[in-house]
Amino acid sequence: MPPRKKNLGQGDLPGMPTMADLRETLWKAADKLRGSMDAAQYKDFVLGLVFLKYISDAFDERREQIKEEVLADGIPETQLDTFLNDIDEYTGHGVFWVPESARWSHLAANAKSAGIGQLLDGAMQAIMDENPPLKGVLAKIFNRENVDQRRLGELVVLISDARFTGHGDRPARDVLGEVYEYFLEKFARAEGKRGGEFYTPSSVVRLLVEVLEPYEGRIYDPCCGSGGMFVQAEKFVEAHRGKNHRADLAVYGQEANERTWRLAKMNLAIHGIGADLSSTWADTFYADKHPDLKADYVLANPPFNMSDWHRVADDPRWRFGAPPPGNANFAWIQHIIAKLGERGSAGVVMANGSMSSKQSGEGEIRRNLVEHDLVACMIALPPQLFRTTQIPACLWFFAKDKSGRDGQHDRQGEVLFIDARNMGTMVDRTERVLTDEDLARIAGTYHAWRGTASAREAGLIYEDVPGFCCSASKEEIGKHDYVLTPGQYVGAAEVDDANDEPIAEKIQRLKKELFSHFEESARLEEIVRKNLERLDA
């Protein structure tokens, strides 16, 4: 084909809806099916259709760009179809090829026909056939007997009102990526506890990424949910080094739930992230899909206190002690450590009980982790960050190398403790988020303690702050019987009576914290009872 000039791009399209309008339109689409389906079902329907609409919009956007480029290059219009039907002209620009039968214009024109479900399933199959990265990803669920075809057609019409192009100079991928994340959050709230299986609150994900600073290398999540950790890591790289460096991260993940695995594949495809999530979903403990992987970074939010899991007593991953059958917390931790490369680091969300539990050998595992100098930092999180669970949470950070390489501070034999329980802002009566200032303070404290390049560039110097952070030696941790609760080490904050917390707010906060401790106590009591019953048997 004749050579052509660079992409001209597409400018602003006047009259296009704002992002808020787009979100509202799409949320109305979700409510359309809500009357006949539970949250998990309508999530699959709506996100599947939104993804299909995005693919078609992005395809149309690229098609218009090709026309502009061809005409600008002075190529005869008679050759236009040759370029428009060249699959490489699309896939070479990160756009999926969409066959005519799968284009949204065709589907929308037939939205009110009795066979719309069959057309949609056919469109999903046609797209997977033409785009190998999507093989087995798109669910063909629209032509089932229990699907109301009339309502499905109305949903197609409603989604037709949403356009993912024309938002300034933002490509369709970026716009839908934002919408998709917004929807995952909405659906997680709608599904309650089950929503936690595929969604981690964005401020928690951001904190993990900001602390680890994954600029380049292999990044892994053994229970990746909908892929939010990977998306945030790519955003971090783009923000600090530009879009051209997004490929500096090689992404690996695994997910046990079929629906969630499909969500992750679509989410990463929308964001243009090439990832190896294996060819299918699988339980990480039963069938590790990346057995030889040694990662530079691991980011994970495993299910809290998982009692039903595949345990092999002599698994080589249990280097620091066999985790108990009734709780997988330390199984996840040891699996993650086993995946770290020579200088790898990891950030993991865990239930608070993991910091202090001594039952069933967990205290001994924790002691071994400290003695082997793998624990770099412990962060106690504030309550109410997670809508999907009331169990108090914390963050564990691991590092295979805490030496003073690359100009960093030598922190061998030390652990940084940060108590962030009083941080965050309530966005409504039930949910708290960590603000940008909170994230900067927590991550900046870790970087200053570690002496990272970003801390040196910002002139950050670490010092213990009563009530907030403390660097403790292994010997001091041993005196606390290897309990890793930050409150044990940071002490009490210096109180400024003039600016103290209002008594009414303090009572409410302390009451919520007390109830959370009651719940954790009840959980531990139940485990003890079961163990005693086994002894009696």
Side-chain angles (χ1 to χ4, degrees):
M1 289 186 183
R4 293 188 284 106
K5 298 174 185 172
K6 282 188 187 177
N7 234 357
L8 297 178
Q10 188 175 16
D12 294 2
L13 295 180
M16 285 293 118
T18 65
M19 281 299 302
D21 292 336
L22 184 59
R23 289 175 175 177
E24 182 64 24
T25 297
L26 293 176
W27 194 244
K28 285 178 181 176
D31 283 341
K32 267 284 183 183
L33 278 179
R34 205 167 176 177
S36 59
M37 293 186 177
D38 64 24
Q41 284 180 304
Y42 77 72
K43 174 177 86 260
D44 294 339
F45 267 74
V46 174
L47 289 180
L49 288 177
V50 168
F51 183 73
L52 187 58
K53 178 66 159 62
Y54 152 73
I55 284 181
S56 193
D57 274 12
F59 178 85
D60 290 343
E61 182 179 66
R62 176 62 192 144
R63 198 171 180 82
E64 289 302 314
Q65 289 173 351
I66 293 171
K67 289 179 182 178
E68 292 177 15
E69 293 166 7
V70 168
L71 296 177
D73 287 347
I75 296 172
E77 198 166 343
T78 54
Q79 296 184 31
L80 182 59
D81 283 349
T82 303
F83 291 100
L84 292 178
N85 295 316
D86 181 3
I87 293 179
D88 290 341
E89 287 285 346
Y90 299 85
T91 58
H93 289 76
V95 176
F96 295 111
W97 171 261
V98 183
E100 283 192 41
S101 63
R103 293 173 194 171
W104 194 265
S105 56
H106 172 68
L107 299 171
N110 292 277
K112 296 183 179 180
S113 71
I116 183 59
Q118 185 175 355
L119 286 175
L120 288 168
D121 280 353
M124 294 294 190
Q125 186 61 56
I127 288 172
M128 288 190 287
D129 289 343
E130 295 288 350
N131 300 276
L134 295 178
K135 182 180 179 182
V137 173
L138 307 182
K140 295 184 291 181
I141 55 177
F142 301 99
N143 197 36
R144 295 176 178 174
E145 290 184 4
N146 64 340
V147 176
D148 184 333
Q149 296 295 304
R150 179 187 60 81
R151 186 170 287 184
L152 178 61
E154 292 175 358
L155 182 58
V156 171
V157 171
L158 188 53
I159 289 180
S160 295
D161 293 337
R163 186 155 186 86
F164 302 120
T165 58
H167 294 268
D169 59 355
R170 302 179 66 188
R173 168 174 291 154
D174 290 353
V175 174
L176 184 65
E178 186 176 328
V179 170
Y180 201 90
E181 291 170 42
Y182 172 79
F183 262 52
L184 286 171
E185 180 180 3
K186 282 282 198 179
F187 284 124
R189 291 179 179 180
E191 290 191 43
K193 185 176 180 179
R194 287 172 60 191
E197 296 176 3
F198 62 85
Y199 181 80
T200 303
S202 59
S203 66
V204 176
V205 178
R206 286 183 61 198
L207 179 55
L208 287 167
V209 172
E210 291 293 334
V211 168
L212 288 183
E213 295 186 308
Y215 289 110
E216 60 186 11
R218 296 175 297 275
I219 187 168
Y220 171 65
D221 185 343
C223 43
C224 68
S226 57
M229 299 286 188
F230 302 136
V231 172
Q232 187 57 45
E234 292 275 354
K235 287 182 179 179
F236 176 84
V237 172
E238 185 175 325
H240 289 83
R241 294 189 172 178
K243 284 190 175 184
N244 292 337
H245 287 271
R246 292 180 64 188
D248 292 351
L249 284 177
V251 174
Y252 300 87
Q254 185 162 341
E255 173 53 44
N257 182 280
E258 176 187 356
R259 282 176 165 177
T260 308
W261 177 81
R262 292 179 189 276
L263 285 180
K265 295 280 281 187
M266 287 192 289
N267 193 16
L268 298 181
I270 288 170
H271 285 88
I273 299 174
D276 181 354
L277 303 188
S278 180
S279 59
T280 188
W281 53 97
D283 180 338
T284 299
F285 293 125
Y286 180 74
D288 181 3
K289 293 296 184 180
H290 305 286
D292 301 319
L293 176 68
K294 291 297 179 182
D296 299 292
Y297 305 97
V298 179
L299 294 159
N301 176 20
F304 290 178
N305 307 318
M306 189 166 71
S307 58
D308 183 15
W309 62 287
H310 181 80
R311 179 180 182 271
V312 177
D314 60 350
D315 193 307
R317 289 173 288 191
W318 314 152
R319 287 181 51 209
F320 308 102
N327 193 317
N329 286 346
F330 283 94
W332 285 113
I333 284 175
Q334 292 190 83
H335 170 80
I336 286 165
I337 290 173
K339 287 297 182 185
L340 290 177
E342 184 179 348
R343 300 192 64 193
S345 55
V348 188
V349 186
M350 278 280 146
N352 269 5
S354 63
M355 297 189 290
S356 58
S357 171
K358 297 178 183 177
Q359 63 194 10
S360 305
E362 291 183 333
E364 183 67 14
I365 297 173
R366 192 168 52 249
R367 182 186 75 81
N368 289 334
L369 293 173
V370 173
E371 287 300 329
H372 281 80
D373 211 15
L374 290 165
V375 183
C377 178
M378 300 296 301
I379 300 177
L381 294 174
Q384 297 177 275
L385 286 177
F386 297 80
R387 276 183 179 264
T388 56
T389 179
Q390 293 302 311
I391 298 174
C394 62
L395 301 181
W396 290 65
F397 287 92
F398 302 98
K400 291 290 287 290
D401 181 4
K402 294 195 286 182
S403 70
R405 286 191 192 179
D406 302 329
Q408 298 186 87
H409 301 319
D410 187 343
R411 292 297 184 178
Q412 295 177 97
E414 295 180 63
V415 176
L416 175 63
F417 292 92
I418 297 177
D419 190 344
R421 288 176 296 173
N422 295 324
M423 301 181 78
T425 298
M426 298 299 293
V427 293
D428 56 36
R429 292 178 57 200
T430 60
E431 184 178 11
R432 183 188 302 267
V433 298
L434 294 170
T435 64
D436 290 346
E437 292 75 17
D438 295 329
L439 298 174
R441 185 185 182 196
I442 297 170
T445 298
Y446 177 80
H447 296 151
W449 176 79
R450 195 67 186 89
T452 62
S454 60
R456 297 195 299 272
E457 184 178 332
L460 300 177
I461 299 175
Y462 176 79
E463 61 179 2
D464 289 349
V465 177
F468 177 64
C469 64
C470 173
S471 183
S473 66
K474 285 198 295 187
E475 291 72 25
E476 184 178 353
I477 295 171
K479 291 176 183 177
H480 287 279
D481 205 14
Y482 298 94
V483 169
L484 300 182
T485 308
Q488 296 263 15
Y489 303 90
V490 303
E494 298 176 359
V495 178
D496 181 355
D497 292 334
N499 295 305
D500 202 8
E501 183 178 10
I503 188 65
E505 293 182 13
K506 180 179 287 188
I507 290 172
Q508 288 299 315
R509 176 175 59 80
L510 292 175
K511 186 167 70 172
K512 289 172 183 174
E513 290 180 10
L514 182 61
F515 286 156
S516 295
H517 291 311
F518 283 162
E519 291 177 3
E520 181 68 4
S521 176
R523 184 187 70 81
L524 294 175
E525 179 184 348
E526 180 64 22
I527 293 173
V528 171
R529 287 181 182 276
K530 288 181 179 178
N531 288 335
L532 290 175
E533 288 172 2
R534 289 196 191 102
L535 290 175
D536 292 339

